Amino acid sequence: MRIDGSSAVVTGGASGLGLATAGRLVADGAHVVIVDLPSSEGDVVAKRLGEHTRFAPADVRAPDQISHALDVAEESGPLRVAVHCAGIATPQRILDREGNPADLELYENVIQVNLIGTYNLLRLTAARMARNEPVDGDRGVIVMTASVAAFEGQIGQGPYASSKAGVHGLTLVAARDLADKAIRVCSIAPGLFDTPMLASLPQEARDSLGAMVPHPRRLGSPEEYAALAAHIVENPMLNGETVRLDGAIRMAPR
């Protein structure tokens, strides 16, 4: 499906993978609505990306807020592209050093943001896209974000890994559910990427993480994620697949 002229939403679009994706879609001719928390720099980012970009503050878990963001997107035309990058990665072991059980509220929060938030965006964007006239055989394309942690979760990644495994498990089902509506669904499973989640680490630690990648021996660039998201939109045979974007890394236990 053509990106040029499409209306698109990008969650988590104020930073990291989402920011790079919003920039790529704008460069390719889309009208983009950045969806991020009110506390984010979404408004500043939208103004920087130019006249075809707007900011709609929202929590991905909140149906009314996401519905409003989709209304904003449809002001520029039928919503045809959604890329979901919003997520959190709070670590927690099942038992702490003293043998106490993990905080269930923390686990629930990660699941709510990463998995429930993904499903919320999926269902609401699909309902809008189903009303579109097909373009190049598609009414819309939805790209979700999983993680290599869905397959090789490390020690302390229980909440994050299980939430991303849920996104992976949802991908094929969603593509099959929406096939008769001509809506494609894929997920990207990034490996180690140079995003705000790693920004707080010392440079030595970041270099060490990059050296774990077989090739290229470095952290991934958000622009590389954005390039794959754009390719998924444009390639009609990509559907129901979780695509690893990881330089061939397989994560060790720690």
Side-chain angles (χ1 to χ4, degrees):
M1 190 179 69
R2 294 189 302 272
I3 293 175
D4 187 27
S6 294
S7 180
V9 295
V10 180
T11 67
S15 64
L17 303 178
L19 173 56
T21 301
R24 173 61 183 259
L25 293 176
V26 169
D28 288 348
H31 298 267
V32 176
V33 171
I34 289 173
V35 180
D36 215 314
L37 293 171
S39 58
S40 74
E41 295 191 355
D43 192 46
V44 174
V45 168
K47 289 175 181 176
R48 188 170 75 235
L49 290 179
E51 61 180 333
H52 296 305
T53 313
R54 299 172 70 183
F55 173 54
D59 185 319
V60 293
R61 299 168 291 185
D64 291 348
Q65 294 177 26
I66 292 298
S67 292
H68 172 71
L70 301 184
D71 289 340
V72 173
E74 289 189 323
E75 291 174 6
S76 300
L79 176 63
R80 297 192 180 276
V81 178
V83 184
H84 182 63
C85 298
I88 58 176
T90 312
Q92 177 175 246
R93 290 196 182 206
I94 296 168
L95 299 178
D96 67 16
R97 294 181 185 277
E98 287 73 41
N100 299 309
D103 181 353
L104 186 59
E105 186 175 337
L106 185 152
Y107 183 87
E108 289 174 340
N109 188 52
V110 175
I111 296 296
Q112 283 285 332
V113 174
N114 291 359
L115 183 54
I116 305 301
T118 297
Y119 191 80
N120 191 39
L121 184 84
L122 171 69
R123 70 188 186 94
L124 295 176
T125 54
R128 306 292 181 111
M129 292 175 176
R131 301 196 294 258
N132 296 340
E133 290 297 319
V135 172
D136 301 327
D138 289 327
R139 287 190 171 91
V141 181
I142 301 169
V143 180
M144 307 184 298
T145 303
S147 167
V148 296
F151 310 102
E152 301 116 33
Q154 295 184 291
I155 290 170
Q157 282 192 322
Y160 183 71
S162 51
S163 70
K164 293 302 187 177
V167 173
H168 167 60
L170 179 60
T171 304
L172 180 58
V173 177
R176 289 172 166 174
D177 274 5
L178 299 173
D180 64 347
K181 304 296 190 295
I183 298 170
R184 290 188 288 113
V185 183
C186 281
S187 290
I188 299 173
L192 297 172
F193 270 66
D194 192 6
T195 67
M197 285 187 180
L198 297 182
S200 61
L201 295 177
Q203 187 61 48
E204 182 180 352
R206 289 154 55 86
D207 292 342
S208 177
L209 287 172
M212 294 168 57
V213 182
H215 181 71
R217 211 167 182 79
R218 58 171 173 78
L219 297 177
S221 161
E223 286 72 25
E224 290 163 334
Y225 174 99
L228 179 54
H231 180 72
I232 289 170
V233 173
E234 294 178 323
N235 190 325
M237 282 302 288
L238 278 170
N239 194 21
E241 187 62 60
T242 298
V243 183
R244 292 185 67 128
L245 187 66
D246 60 17
I249 197 170
R250 297 296 181 268
M251 301 301 294
R254 66 176 75 228

